[in-house]
């Protein structure tokens, strides 16, 4: 890992400046993983969980130690976590969520990543089927109480709900392609670096229209 990051992390840890340690760990997922492994037994649990949540969608989901502390992070969820949710679901007591994955249905509840948008799950299923044709793909739907959501992660416009063992009533849906309208929005915005006003990203506008029609 980066020696400068390691040195700065050690300095912050020695004086128990956890805010500074988290800022150092925010550099990138690979260096955050190095810091977590190096100082795992010395860091407060809330610090480890916040670092894991921060990097989970920054390729952090590939690292076991990141997934480990995401699964433990529910007690440290910010009180204002709902503010990032799309407006139609912001005040709901429970959410319908979807997932594409290769795991069998009895293991789906252990999977961290779910989405509020069916077309997002369909897109992932089609993508996985394209890149991993040897693996069986499944499309799942379930419900989760708002009180059991670990985090809502919207940085990639995937309407992602992070959870662990708390999606209920899981059922398998038939595999199908995402809607043409979704793909038009996705292709025009997924790799765009334009700046949009908060809660006005085209994919969120699509979510709002879709949600109103289900």
């Amino acid at each position: 890992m980066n020696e400068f990051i390691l040195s700065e992390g050690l300095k912050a840890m020695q004086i128990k400046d956890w805010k500074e340690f988290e800022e150092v760990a925010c550099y990138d997922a690979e260096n955050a993983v190095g810091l977590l492994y190096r100082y795992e037994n010395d860091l407060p649990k809330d610090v480890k969980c916040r670092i894991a949540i921060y990097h989970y969608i920054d390729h952090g989901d590939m690292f076991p130690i990141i997934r480990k502390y995401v699964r433990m992070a529910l007690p440290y969820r910010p009180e204002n976590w709902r503010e990032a949710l799309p407006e139609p679901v912001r005040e709901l007591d429970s959410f319908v969520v979807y997932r594409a994955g290769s795991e069998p249905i009895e293991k789906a509840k252990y999977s961290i990543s779910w989405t509020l948008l069916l077309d997002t799950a369909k897109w992932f299923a089609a993508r996985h089927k394209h890149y991993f044709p040897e693996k069986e793909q499944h499309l799942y739907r379930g419900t989760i109480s708002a009180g059991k959501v670990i985090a809502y992660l919207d940085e990639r416009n995937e309407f992602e709900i992070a959870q662990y063992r708390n999606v209920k009533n899981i059922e398998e849906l038939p595999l199908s392609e995402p809607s043409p309208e979704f793909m038009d929005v996705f292709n025009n915005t997924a790799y765009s670096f334009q700046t949009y006003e908060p809660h006005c990203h085209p994919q969120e506008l699509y979510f709002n229209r879709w949600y109103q029609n289900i």
Side-chain angles (χ1 to χ4, degrees):
M1 63 176 295
N2 185 292
E3 290 299 322
F4 176 77
I5 297 294
L6 182 62
S7 174
E8 292 301 298
L10 176 60
K11 290 177 186 177
M13 191 195 68
Q14 287 174 331
I15 61 174
K16 293 181 167 49
D17 186 343
W18 305 127
K19 181 178 179 181
E20 176 64 21
F21 189 94
E22 288 186 47
E23 290 180 0
V24 171
C26 284
Y27 182 74
D28 63 21
E30 187 171 351
N31 280 286
V33 167
L35 288 172
L36 287 175
Y37 276 123
R38 183 68 62 92
Y39 304 125
E40 183 175 11
N41 295 329
D42 303 302
L43 296 170
K45 188 175 177 181
D46 62 318
V47 172
K48 292 181 283 192
C49 288
R50 283 194 294 268
I51 291 171
I53 287 290
Y54 183 87
H55 286 294
Y56 181 69
I57 61 172
D58 178 28
H59 305 294
D61 56 338
M62 298 186 300
F63 298 99
I65 198 167
I66 293 288
R67 298 195 300 270
K68 171 184 175 179
Y69 284 106
V70 169
R71 291 193 293 264
M72 299 180 184
L74 181 56
Y76 311 108
R77 183 180 68 181
E79 291 185 4
N80 66 343
W81 72 277
R82 285 180 177 270
E83 292 179 4
L85 285 165
E87 192 278 331
V89 300
R90 197 167 296 155
E91 302 302 326
L92 294 183
D93 293 327
S94 63
F95 307 101
V96 177
V97 289
Y98 306 89
R99 173 173 171 78
S102 58
E103 72 278 356
I105 193 168
E106 64 270 16
K107 293 186 177 180
K109 65 181 179 181
Y110 300 107
S111 300
I112 294 173
S113 296
W114 293 69
T115 177
L116 294 170
L117 181 59
L118 176 57
D119 274 323
T120 297
K122 289 180 177 180
W123 182 85
F124 272 105
R127 180 176 182 267
H128 294 162
K129 189 174 181 179
H130 174 77
Y131 286 106
F132 308 102
E134 73 283 2
K135 291 186 177 181
E136 188 173 2
Q137 297 300 325
H138 305 278
L139 185 65
Y140 297 125
R141 176 173 60 198
T143 58
I144 185 168
S145 165
K148 298 298 184 179
V149 172
I150 293 173
Y152 176 67
L153 307 171
D154 68 334
E155 287 83 351
R156 296 185 298 197
N157 301 298
E158 293 172 0
F159 310 96
E160 185 170 354
I161 292 286
Q163 72 86 44
Y164 184 58
R165 299 181 64 177
N166 282 300
V167 174
K168 309 297 183 183
N169 306 313
I170 299 174
E171 59 181 336
E172 185 161 3
L173 302 177
L175 289 173
S176 61
E177 296 293 324
S179 72
E181 183 184 3
F182 170 83
M183 291 308 303
D184 285 343
V185 173
F186 178 86
N187 289 329
N188 288 329
T189 62
Y191 302 103
S192 172
F193 291 95
Q194 299 179 38
T195 300
Y196 298 97
E197 293 298 319
H199 305 300
C200 290
H201 191 282
Q203 287 177 314
E204 184 158 337
L205 295 176
Y206 172 79
F207 175 91
N208 294 346
R209 292 195 302 272
W210 170 80
Y211 187 82
Q212 290 166 0
N213 291 320
I214 60 174

